[in-house]
Amino acid sequence: MSSGSKVGALRMRAEGTARIVVTRRIPEPAIELLRGAGEVWVSPHDRPLSTEELHEAVSGADVVVSLLHDRIDGALMDAAGPRLVCVANVAVGFDNIDIPAATERGIVVTNTPGVLTDATADLTFALVLAVTRRLCEGERVIRSKTPWSWQMFYMLGSGLADKTLGVVGMGAIGVAVARRARAFGMNIVYSGPVRATAEVEAELGARQVELDELLDQAHVVTLHCPLTDETRHLMNAERLRRMRKDAYLVNTSRGPVIDEAALVEALRAGEIAGAALDVFEHEPAVSPALLEFDNVVLVPHIGSATVETRTAMGVLAARNAVAVLAGEPPWTTVNGATLGLPARAPEAEVAPGRPGG
Ligand code: DGY
């Protein structure tokens, strides 16, 4: 089928060998899969490409395999040219991609839900424990050779049993975090547009509430919503002030969900007990003021960073790309329904573990 022809709103791939552009190195099993479907170009740079480099690299591509730091907008799609049929993001989040621009052009966008749910929930709970039990602060004492001794009132943290976890965004990751919290004896409230199933609510004893009510109650507030126009700066000065003074804020979603300057002010004013952040508003930059606080735990966007999970993410992105190149619906798509694509097999068949993203 020639470039530009359409099935419904989906553009079929152009004839000839497919050109697949991978914007930064991904796990080898994923590259192997892609090699079976066309000529693969992988960026030789171990860094994000500049906009200019990206535009040059994608020229003539049938598929772009992108990472979360790549800005995939209409200009990039036009720089790729009319052959582009699929952008396969190696991430569950897709705020780096202009979805309407892709849909308008009949380009399928895919993401990698499900395969990173457990890894991200594990890291989230590691952060909950680290900030409430002052783990990193304690480690700094030892490493700096600061004198210390066991004392009744030394470095007391905050226990989790019988406390309330507030989950903002009860998708698969939110649910997985809530499961872990239940094992620590916590009560669960959650907010957001998605209602958990009755089974999940019963299993977790979870109650859906308005965000303000969640902020009034929760001893730990954990963010698991996607970054959209509605959730940008969701945690602003007013909402931070609304949190309990003894509450902790944890973020493994996207940095801009928190107004970082407002967070610094809230910490300075003692409006909250602490924060643990895996993601930052101007990533990879971190507000220097955050480094001043002992009650803040900071890690460099490692929510999904296990060998197994990163491999599974790469492989799922590659399987999506290969499917689209073969004229089949991808396994996990962002705009497939809008493009009129039939749904593929349930997520559980794509990857082991719990479904969803
Ligand atoms: C994602 O997949 O969106 C994560 O942020 C990657 O770690």
Side-chain angles (χ1 to χ4, degrees), residues 68 90-93 112 116 252-254 301-305 310 313:
L68 54 80
V90 191
V92 64
T112 60
L116 45 66
T252 56
S253 62
R254 283 292 183 266
H301 202 151
I302 53 172
S304 64
R310 289 286 164 83
M313 290 165 70

Side-chain angles (χ1 to χ4, degrees), residues 95 223 227 231-235 251-260 277-283 301:
D95 46 282
L223 306 177
L227 175 62
T231 63
R232 187 175 297 276
H233 283 192
L234 183 76
M235 293 307 295
N251 190 12
T252 56
S253 62
R254 283 292 183 266
V257 175
I258 298 178
D259 177 344
E260 218 164 88
L277 309 173
D278 178 44
V279 288
F280 302 91
E281 185 168 359
H282 305 290
E283 219 169 286
H301 202 151

